[in-house]
Amino acid sequence: MAAAQTEHEVPKSMLCPKFLHANSTSHTGPFSAFAELIDNAYDTDVNAKQIWIDKTQIKDMECLTFMDNGNGLNYKSMHRMLSFGYSDKKVVNGKHPIGIYGNGFKSGSMHLGQDAIVLSKSKNDLCVGMLSQTYLKRTRAEQINVPIISIKKTEANKFSVMEEHQASLRDILDHSPFNTEEELLTELQAIESSFSSTGTRIIIWNLRRTSSGKPAIDFTTDRYDIRIPCDDLDSSDPESHSSLRAYCSVLYMKPRMQINIRGQKVKTQLISKSLAHIVKDFYKPAFVKQKIPITFGYNTKSKDHYGLMMYHKNRLIKAYYRVGCQRNANNNLGIGVIGVIECNFLEPTHNKQDFDNTDMFRNTIRNVKEKLEDYWKEILYKRQYRNPSNNVPIEQEEKRPDQNWVQCDKCQQWRKLPDGIDPDKLPEEWLCYMNPDPLFRRCETMEEPEDSDSEQPANPKTYKIQEEDQKKQKMKEFKKTSTPKKTRTPKDGASASGLSTSSSQPVITDVFSLSKNPSRPQPTASQKKSKRQKLDGLKRKLVPDMSLSSSTTPPTPIPCKDLNIDDDLLEGSSTPAPTEPTFQPFEVRLESDPMDSAYVAFTSPHKSFVDVPTVCYVDSYTSTQMRDEEEEEEEEEEDEEETRDKSTQMPGPRVKDEEEMNSSTAANDGAKVMEEGMISIIQAQEEQDQLMELLQSVSNERDSFKESVKELQAQLELEKKCADCQTAREKAEKLSREKEDLTCRLDQSSKEMEKLHLKVKQLEEEKATTTVEPQV
């Protein structure tokens, strides 16, 4: 057969009938095919309020039926629906259409069965169309033919089909379950029984079967549901994977249409408001102007069913999609947490079961993953903060939804119920006048706004603040433990000067503490001149004290006032010169010691800074203590002069003994001063630790006060709202009482008027009789 030509002799694309089956395989399961047919009734061009899904028996054939009470289809719209790729749906009253590809009915109906017939009634037309693989096989069609007829109903309830539609009528009667015009008319009249004058009815037969010959969908397990055989499912899967009723309850983010399956209404739910511990967060992608809200909360029905519920234009695309920490089943992180997000900025695949794997989709998943983990950590932190003794995992606790919402069966609007009302105990048919809230007791009243006062605030992420505080606290503790103390308590057997017995470094006695500022200028007090020149023998005595070999005898301070040593010798020689002994040293510190660099050694005999290879640091003394020590040193020097004068007349060993006595006396004095300084430092450290503990307790108390203030504020708002409701109720009762009073008064006045009318009539009669009597 030659390819079909256009008027410009350019070949047209041909569509083989086998494409119907190939196109139907895009659906991963029956429920996505059901959703395509439900979407067609929900969309703005049809705008149905109810849809009925059921199983029926037509001439020994098991059939699926879909019927809605929408606007119906005319001949042109019927032809577009049975063709491929035509979709010109638009936004109506802020309601975005779901269909975008013009392929949903073809792929969905042909996945459920091999043949489908569509009967529709609009305001002016009755149309019937058929899409049938069996018909195409029997007629050996090389392209997809779709018989469509437009019917005009006469007064005698008979068909009136146009001449150009006669061939389509014959094919429909020959290859469908309805072989006469009366049978077709009966099916069209069934649409009127849906409490609407318009609507569409779809019948699918030759239902799909598995490779083993069993039906792909189960009608027998539950007489009020349509299920997928359990052999094909995992027991841990959510109920929405096996039950059409459960799937339809979450099919739309905010349902606006009532779905009835096998005679019973589906209890749809606002998934974003049916969770526990609800928190709203926001995602601001770079490719979208406005922020995208994300609602997080815990599943109140089953902790095993969790993940992201991703919607596109109000329609569910991905259900219970686990991200981040939820993907690892062994870490118990994020269990039970559900995230709800509407991703209108992403492109769904043609079967509406996934999103295109683009950079935008991957960036969205990555950001939502971080926010989900933030929510989980924040909830655990708040729970631990409020009740530290609670060791039960949060996913094991029984939970109730934070809010209860119910949909009116008449106006399809959602109403919020007061706390304490169980939605499961509401009547099967619920209407607005049953609402306990008098402000929303009429169908004409608008819904409560999406972001009402009861909406939870954005996730504050206070756990991050707590983690930062803990890190700072650990750093402080680490610094305390890793930094050596300025003074150490001398142990038994240690030298009185507090120096290590193994140290062979020289002792620097004239040292000032710079606190935390090593560049602070030194005191400008004039240096007292020494009374005499120091002996050369003392220089020679300094040499063995600075040797690098270990010694069992600790180094002792030099009991001298001044030394004749040049500054060049101090800088170039490996043996630094001792300085003036203003007070006893506490501890000698090597330059390589890992100590705070805020302490430096300085002072020459002229109070100038000197770089030396060793550092001795002590706490600052008061000026009074320094003066007392200088006076004591002067007295000691006078005693030393006297002993030296005597030593000139005594042998050498005697002079040596006196020098050892003087050194031991100085060491004892240094030990006393060291003990006193050490005690003061220990006391200061203890006071500092007490202050830190007090500060931490005050901080915790402040946080608890903040939480209490928030709870009290929320309670105050609730009480205020209750007071407003109570005021409104009292006002309504008052008005009703006034109305009753007015009606009573009106009745009384009407009775009085009747009496007056009677009196007027009597007076008129009397008047008439009086006027007649004189004539007689």
Side-chain angles (χ1 to χ4, degrees):
M1 180 180 179
Q5 302 282 327
T6 65
E7 59 182 3
H8 299 292
E9 297 184 354
V10 177
K12 293 191 299 183
S13 175
M14 300 176 65
L15 199 58
C16 179
K18 294 181 180 179
F19 176 74
L20 291 176
H21 173 72
N23 186 41
S24 68
T25 59
S26 62
H27 291 281
T28 56
F31 289 170
S32 63
F34 276 98
E36 291 286 3
L37 301 181
I38 297 172
D39 290 342
N40 285 341
Y42 180 87
D43 263 340
T44 54
D45 56 340
V46 176
N47 197 27
K49 299 299 181 183
Q50 285 95 18
I51 184 172
W52 293 265
I53 304 172
D54 206 344
K55 184 206 78 166
T56 186
Q57 199 85 5
I58 300 177
K59 295 181 179 179
D60 299 331
M61 288 189 298
E62 204 170 51
C63 303
L64 267 175
T65 61
F66 298 79
M67 187 169 66
D68 64 67
N69 57 0
N71 298 328
L73 303 171
N74 56 24
Y75 185 89
K76 183 179 179 180
S77 56
M78 177 79 74
H79 190 201
R80 283 178 173 269
M81 189 183 79
L82 297 179
S83 301
F84 291 84
Y86 291 94
S87 179
D88 54 357
K89 299 179 181 182
K90 300 178 182 179
V91 179
V92 178
N93 296 327
K95 187 177 176 181
H96 292 269
I98 299 173
I100 53 177
Y101 298 117
N103 189 46
F105 172 76
K106 280 75 67 176
S107 63
S109 60
M110 294 298 100
H111 182 87
L112 296 174
Q114 295 186 20
D115 311 297
I117 188 170
V118 183
L119 304 101
S120 185
K121 182 180 180 182
S122 62
K123 289 183 178 180
N124 302 319
D125 294 327
L126 292 172
C127 290
V128 180
M130 187 174 68
L131 182 66
S132 172
Q133 298 181 58
T134 305
Y135 159 69
L136 295 175
K137 291 178 182 178
R138 288 176 181 175
T139 58
R140 298 180 180 179
E142 296 184 0
Q143 295 195 51
I144 298 177
N145 300 322
V146 284
I148 304 174
I149 60 174
S150 178
I151 304 171
K152 299 297 182 181
K153 189 177 179 182
T154 63
E155 295 180 357
N157 289 334
K158 291 186 178 181
F159 274 87
S160 176
V161 180
M162 297 181 182
E163 186 65 28
E164 59 267 26
H165 299 161
Q166 291 296 327
S168 297
L169 176 60
R170 286 194 299 269
D171 287 349
I172 291 174
L173 296 178
D174 291 341
H175 301 282
S176 73
F178 313 107
N179 304 125
T180 63
E181 296 179 359
E182 288 75 13
E183 291 177 355
L184 280 179
L185 188 60
T186 302
E187 292 296 327
L188 286 169
Q189 289 174 348
I191 298 174
E192 297 180 355
S193 63
S194 61
F195 308 102
S196 174
S197 59
T198 59
T200 301
R201 181 174 172 84
I202 301 171
I203 301 173
I204 302 173
W205 69 96
N206 286 332
L207 299 181
R208 186 185 186 92
R209 293 182 176 272
T210 62
S211 58
S212 61
K214 296 180 180 179
I217 49 181
D218 179 14
F219 297 104
T220 59
T221 301
D222 189 344
R223 60 176 300 182
Y224 298 110
D225 198 1
I226 297 174
R227 303 182 63 88
I228 294 177
C230 298
D231 298 339
D232 301 337
L233 294 172
D234 189 354
S235 59
S236 62
D237 289 339
E239 184 70 10
S240 59
H241 289 183
S242 59
S243 168
L244 180 62
R245 183 174 295 275
Y247 177 73
C248 290
S249 67
V250 296
L251 181 59
Y252 299 106
M253 187 174 177
K254 193 167 187 178
R256 293 296 185 192
M257 180 177 66
Q258 185 185 102
I259 303 174
N260 299 272
I261 298 177
R262 304 190 71 180
Q264 281 195 354
K265 182 184 70 173
V266 174
K267 290 185 178 180
T268 53
Q269 56 181 311
L270 288 174
I271 184 66
S272 60
K273 297 184 183 296
S274 62
L275 308 173
H277 309 302
I278 295 175
V279 169
K280 179 173 283 190
D281 209 333
F282 294 92
Y283 166 50
K284 178 61 178 68
F287 39 82
V288 179
K289 294 182 180 179
Q290 71 276 8
K291 293 181 179 179
I292 308 301
I294 311 170
T295 303
F296 293 106
Y298 275 84
N299 191 346
T300 58
K301 297 180 179 179
S302 174
K303 68 179 182 64
D304 298 326
H305 305 151
Y306 55 90
L308 284 184
M309 305 293 288
M310 303 184 71
Y311 290 82
H312 180 267
K313 295 181 180 178
N314 201 42
R315 158 73 143 79
L316 180 65
I317 303 298
K318 294 180 75 68
Y320 304 105
Y321 180 64
R322 298 182 182 181
V323 296
C325 59
Q326 294 180 332
R327 299 180 72 88
N328 188 353
N330 297 324
N331 57 15
N332 295 328
L333 303 180
I335 293 179
V337 178
I338 287 180
V340 184
I341 179 173
E342 187 174 19
C343 306
N344 294 342
F345 53 90
L346 299 179
E347 288 294 331
T349 57
H350 63 286
N351 62 358
K352 298 187 183 71
Q353 295 298 293
D354 204 345
F355 290 101
D356 290 339
N357 191 13
T358 60
D359 291 339
M360 291 190 295
F361 174 74
R362 290 191 291 270
N363 291 337
T364 301
I365 294 300
R366 183 172 61 253
N367 282 274
V368 174
K369 174 192 71 174
E370 295 174 357
K371 295 182 182 299
L372 185 142
E373 293 176 357
D374 287 340
Y375 165 80
W376 182 79
K377 293 178 181 178
E378 180 69 16
I379 291 296
L380 291 187
Y381 166 72
K382 288 182 178 179
R383 183 169 177 266
Q384 185 66 21
Y385 179 78
R386 292 172 182 171
N387 188 6
S389 62
N390 190 356
N391 297 323
V392 180
I394 187 171
E395 60 271 12
Q396 301 291 345
E397 291 182 347
E398 184 178 356
K399 307 176 190 66
R400 296 183 61 186
D402 292 352
Q403 302 175 5
N404 292 321
W405 291 71
V406 63
Q407 188 178 23
C408 176
D409 290 322
K410 181 179 179 182
C411 64
Q412 305 300 318
Q413 296 192 97
W414 287 89
R415 305 299 187 190
K416 182 183 177 183
L417 298 176
D419 295 339
I421 296 180
D422 188 358
D424 296 332
K425 296 181 180 180
L426 295 176
E428 186 68 24
E429 184 179 10
W430 191 91
L431 300 174
C432 286
Y433 76 86
M434 301 177 182
N435 193 350
D437 191 349
L439 299 177
F440 300 94
R441 201 173 281 173
R442 295 167 56 89
C443 291
E444 292 78 11
T445 306
M446 296 296 293
E447 276 184 348
E448 292 160 286
E450 183 75 14
D451 296 326
S452 60
D453 295 336
S454 61
E455 192 69 42
Q456 296 292 332
N459 192 3
K461 301 178 180 62
T462 53
Y463 82 94
K464 289 188 176 180
I465 301 175
Q466 179 67 14
E467 287 182 353
E468 291 177 0
D469 293 342
Q470 290 178 355
K471 288 181 181 178
K472 290 179 182 179
Q473 187 68 20
K474 288 181 180 179
M475 288 298 296
K476 290 180 181 179
E477 294 176 357
F478 176 75
K479 287 181 180 179
K480 287 180 182 179
T481 55
S482 61
T483 304
K485 295 182 180 180
K486 295 181 180 180
T487 59
R488 291 191 293 270
T489 304
K491 298 179 181 180
D492 295 340
S495 62
S497 61
L499 300 176
S500 173
T501 57
S502 62
S503 175
S504 60
Q505 298 296 328
V507 177
I508 302 174
T509 59
D510 192 5
V511 179
F512 288 86
S513 173
L514 295 182
S515 182
K516 294 184 179 180
N517 187 4
S519 61
R520 188 177 66 181
Q522 295 301 309
T524 56
S526 60
Q527 176 70 26
K528 296 178 68 175
K529 292 183 179 180
S530 61
K531 295 182 180 181
R532 53 182 169 71
Q533 294 292 332
K534 303 303 176 184
L535 298 176
D536 294 340
L538 294 177
K539 287 185 180 180
R540 289 192 299 272
K541 188 173 179 61
L542 181 64
V543 174
D545 292 337
M546 293 188 301
S547 62
L548 298 177
S549 61
S550 60
S551 175
T552 57
T553 304
T556 57
I558 310 295
C560 63
K561 190 76 175 177
D562 193 8
L563 290 176
N564 252 340
I565 301 176
D566 296 334
D567 291 341
D568 296 337
L569 178 61
L570 292 174
E571 295 178 358
S573 175
S574 62
T575 306
T579 58
E580 181 183 1
T582 57
F583 47 81
Q584 295 299 326
F586 288 165
E587 186 174 349
V588 173
R589 172 175 171 266
L590 296 178
E591 187 176 6
S592 59
D593 194 6
M595 183 60 72
D596 191 352
S597 60
Y599 299 94
V600 292
F602 63 95
T603 69
S604 68
H606 303 287
K607 297 291 182 182
S608 61
F609 293 100
V610 177
D611 295 330
V612 291
T614 59
V615 178
C616 176
Y617 61 96
V618 296
D619 287 343
S620 299
Y621 283 84
T622 61
S623 59
T624 305
Q625 290 174 328
M626 293 177 66
R627 285 196 300 270
D628 294 340
E629 291 179 356
E630 288 177 357
E631 291 176 358
E632 291 176 2
E633 289 173 359
E634 290 177 359
E635 293 176 358
E636 290 176 359
E637 288 175 356
E638 291 176 358
D639 294 337
E640 288 175 3
E641 288 179 358
E642 293 177 2
T643 54
R644 287 193 184 93
D645 292 338
K646 293 179 181 181
S647 65
T648 55
Q649 300 176 359
M650 295 179 66
R654 180 64 179 170
V655 174
K656 184 176 180 180
D657 295 337
E658 289 178 350
E659 291 176 355
E660 291 176 356
M661 290 173 63
N662 291 333
S663 63
S664 62
T665 302
N668 293 330
D669 295 337
K672 292 179 181 180
V673 175
M674 181 187 67
E675 290 177 357
E676 293 175 357
M678 178 192 65
I679 293 171
S680 62
I681 289 173
I682 292 172
Q683 292 176 352
Q685 185 68 30
E686 291 177 352
E687 293 177 357
Q688 183 181 3
D689 294 339
Q690 292 176 358
L691 288 174
M692 290 298 295
E693 292 176 357
L694 181 61
L695 181 61
Q696 184 66 26
S697 63
V698 170
S699 177
N700 294 336
E701 188 175 1
R702 180 197 61 190
D703 294 338
S704 63
F705 284 158
K706 285 184 179 180
E707 293 292 335
S708 301
V709 168
K710 289 181 180 179
E711 293 177 357
L712 290 173
Q713 187 175 3
Q715 187 176 1
L716 180 62
E717 291 178 357
L718 181 61
E719 291 178 355
K720 183 178 179 182
K721 187 174 180 181
C722 293
D724 294 339
C725 294
Q726 184 66 24
T727 304
R729 291 192 189 95
E730 292 176 355
K731 190 173 182 180
E733 291 176 357
K734 183 178 180 182
L735 291 173
S736 62
R737 288 194 298 270
E738 291 178 357
K739 180 181 177 182
E740 291 176 357
D741 294 338
L742 290 174
T743 53
C744 292
R745 291 179 183 178
L746 183 62
D747 293 338
Q748 292 176 359
S749 61
S750 61
K751 290 178 181 179
E752 291 176 357
M753 286 182 66
E754 290 178 358
K755 291 179 180 179
L756 291 173
H757 283 302
L758 291 174
K759 288 182 179 181
V760 169
K761 288 181 180 180
Q762 291 176 0
L763 291 172
E764 288 178 353
E765 291 175 355
E766 290 177 359
K767 182 179 179 182
T769 55
T770 54
T771 55
V772 172
E773 286 176 356
Q775 294 178 359
V776 175

